[in-house]
Amino acid sequence: TPNFELVADALYWLCERYDPNAEISDDISTEKARVEFLKAIAHTMASKAKIKLNIKALYRADGFAVRELLKIAEVLHKSIKSTTPADKKESKIGNSNEPNLQTRLDELKAARN
């Protein structure tokens, strides 16, 4: 059974992980708000990550929506896997509570290529 709230939560979380500075409203209370939410996410991911999302599949919130979520998750996963042990040591030497944003951005860019 479709569960749009779950898909929206996962989508919002993934988008926030990719770009913490993205200003996206998480209001999905009405049909119009849901469409605006999906358009904002799709625009953000297309412009920042070059990931094209199928809004209709996301709105259906079924198995095809999972495929769309995986497009973002795979990019994030590749960026984590592409870190070298030296990068991990550097991040531990610095403030361990705050991730180095420039390093993370470089990792994401490397994963896209």
Side-chain angles (χ1 to χ4, degrees):
T1 61
N3 187 349
F4 184 80
E5 290 80 15
L6 181 61
V7 171
D9 284 343
L11 193 57
Y12 186 78
W13 185 84
L14 288 168
C15 192
E16 283 289 313
R17 293 299 162 262
Y18 189 85
D19 183 12
N21 298 323
E23 294 183 19
I24 297 171
S25 172
D26 60 350
D27 176 31
I28 55 169
S29 58
T30 65
E31 183 178 333
K32 184 177 180 180
R34 289 178 178 192
V35 172
E36 290 301 319
F37 169 77
L38 291 174
K39 284 182 180 180
I41 293 281
H43 181 269
T44 300
M45 296 313 294
S47 63
K48 306 239 174 166
K50 310 273 189 289
I51 298 173
K52 185 179 178 191
L53 298 173
N54 183 343
I55 297 174
K56 290 180 182 180
L58 288 167
Y59 192 82
R60 283 193 310 240
D62 58 3
F64 293 105
V66 175
R67 290 183 184 175
E68 300 301 311
L69 293 173
L70 280 173
K71 290 179 183 179
I72 304 169
E74 286 174 347
V75 170
L76 292 173
H77 185 256
K78 285 179 185 177
S79 71
I80 291 171
K81 284 180 64 174
S82 70
T83 61
T84 62
D87 291 339
K88 290 179 183 178
K89 287 180 183 177
E90 285 179 16
S91 65
K92 288 182 181 178
I93 292 171
N95 187 353
S96 62
N97 293 334
E98 278 186 39
N100 185 348
L101 293 178
Q102 187 59 42
T103 303
R104 295 289 181 201
L105 288 174
D106 292 340
E107 292 169 1
L108 289 172
K109 289 177 184 175
R112 281 192 297 196
N113 298 330

